[in-house]
């Protein structure tokens, strides 16, 4: 199993350009997540998808859109990139259920390092 | 609301000495607690979790963590540090009263530096 994969690994954009970050998991997990990591800020949740067909905003959703394409894939789109979106982006997935008491950990991809000039 | 705090940005320890990375949490119900490690230019790797039962949880690479309900803490420990343990460590929490697909909430991370 490859686990969680992300493409691309690195990307440089100019302000105003758009791009889509791709994420796929092969663990048949229900839930998928997008985080960004900035120095001194830890991990901040952008969007998540609790199950196929649903998406919800996280802590920092502005400037981003997401698509849960199917159970395996969850993409993050920047419509008009800004320098404030320079960051490392991580996708994660987990085998989670809607009921309470689910304690499964999240599995992370290797990250995409994005620079916006 | 659920939250987690890692009070130290940086921890330095000599190789062979015991190490502790601190974490405190706040939840309404009972906590599910997790530790992750991030090596340079890599994603986060799961180390261990506390769900219920024994307050001392053992995980990967010789790490363990102690759950203390009265102090709302879940400190990560290792009896003898290795230079290869140098990395960024994240504590995370989910309130057991929340739906299982509620995302984990992460602390800001603690950078561990083990000096030879």
């Amino acid at each position: 199993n490859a686990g969680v994969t992300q493409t691309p690994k690195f990307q440089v954009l100019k302000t105003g350009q758009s791009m889509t970050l791709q994420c796929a998991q092969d663990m048949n997990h229900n839930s998928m997540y997008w985080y960004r990591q900035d120095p001194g800020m830890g991990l901040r949740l952008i969007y998540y998808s609790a199950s196929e067909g649903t998406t919800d905003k996280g802590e920092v959703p502005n400037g981003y859109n997401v698509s849960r394409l199917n159970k395996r894939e969850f993409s993050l789109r920047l419509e008009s990139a800004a320098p404030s979106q320079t960051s490392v982006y991580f996708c994660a997935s987990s085998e989670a259920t809607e009921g309470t008491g689910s304690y499964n950990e999240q599995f992370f991809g290797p990250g995409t390092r994005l620079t916006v000039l | 609301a659920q939250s987690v705090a890692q009070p130290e940005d940086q921890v330095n320890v000599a190789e062979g000495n015991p190490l502790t990375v601190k974490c405190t949490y706040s939840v309404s119900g009972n906590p599910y607690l997790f530790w992750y490690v991030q090596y340079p230019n890599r994603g986060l790797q799961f180390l261990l979790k506390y769900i219920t039962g024994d307050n001392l949880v053992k995980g990967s690479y010789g790490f363990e963590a102690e759950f203390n309900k009265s102090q709302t803490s879940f400190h990560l420990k290792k009896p003898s540090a290795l230079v290869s343990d140098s990395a960024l460590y994240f504590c995370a929490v989910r309130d057991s009263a929340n739906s299982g697909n509620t995302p984990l909430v992460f602390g800001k991370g603690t950078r561990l530096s083990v000096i030879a």
Side-chain angles (χ1 to χ4, degrees), chain B residues 3-116:
Chain B
S3 66
V4 64
Q6 294 180 243
E8 301 157 317
D9 292 334
Q10 173 97 28
V11 171
N12 298 320
V13 63
E15 187 176 31
N17 282 2
L19 70 87
T20 299
V21 182
K22 295 180 180 177
C23 172
T24 59
Y25 66 90
S26 176
V27 295
S28 301
N30 292 317
Y32 294 148
L33 292 156
F34 303 79
W35 275 103
Y36 285 80
V37 60
Q38 184 183 30
Y39 298 104
N41 300 314
R42 303 288 293 275
L44 276 69
Q45 296 178 31
F46 169 74
L47 274 180
L48 52 79
K49 64 184 177 185
Y50 171 82
I51 305 303
T52 187
D54 194 344
N55 289 342
L56 187 64
V57 179
K58 294 189 184 296
S60 306
Y61 312 122
F63 284 94
E64 56 190 27
E66 187 169 12
F67 171 66
N68 187 317
K69 188 170 184 177
S70 63
Q71 297 186 359
T72 62
S73 66
F74 189 56
H75 300 333
L76 182 69
K77 300 182 180 185
K78 188 174 183 182
S80 179
L82 300 173
V83 172
S84 56
D85 293 330
S86 298
L88 189 56
Y89 290 81
F90 290 96
C91 183
V93 68
R94 179 189 297 126
D95 192 326
S96 64
N98 289 343
S99 168
N101 46 31
T102 305
L104 296 179
V105 172
F106 285 83
K108 294 188 176 182
T110 298
R111 187 165 301 281
L112 173 68
S113 182
V114 181
I115 304 159

Side-chain angles (χ1 to χ4, degrees), chain A:
Chain A
N1 288 349
V4 179
T5 57
Q6 294 182 235
T7 56
K9 286 184 168 47
F10 302 93
Q11 184 71 48
V12 179
L13 294 177
K14 294 181 180 178
T15 297
Q17 288 185 316
S18 62
M19 80 160 296
T20 299
L21 281 63
Q22 306 286 354
C23 174
Q25 52 90 10
D26 62 2
M27 296 172 282
N28 202 35
H29 286 168
N30 294 321
S31 299
M32 298 185 73
Y33 315 87
W34 276 105
Y35 293 88
R36 60 178 287 174
Q37 182 180 23
D38 302 290
M41 302 295 288
L43 286 171
R44 293 183 292 172
L45 183 68
I46 305 171
Y47 271 94
Y48 70 103
S49 172
S51 60
E52 189 178 355
T54 69
T55 60
D56 286 285
K57 294 179 180 179
E59 180 185 357
V60 288
N62 290 346
Y64 304 95
N65 286 302
V66 290
S67 295
R68 183 74 183 265
L69 304 170
N70 48 55
K71 192 172 185 179
R72 288 187 65 247
E73 299 172 289
F74 187 39
S75 63
L76 178 72
R77 183 162 178 83
L78 287 69
E79 291 291 352
S80 179
S84 61
Q85 294 177 305
T86 294
S87 188
V88 181
Y89 292 85
F90 288 101
C91 178
S93 71
S94 71
E95 179 54 37
T97 61
E98 290 185 5
T100 60
S102 175
Y103 47 77
N104 292 312
E105 61 269 26
Q106 293 175 193
F107 293 83
F108 283 80
T112 294
R113 189 173 297 273
L114 176 67
T115 301
V116 183
L117 302 175

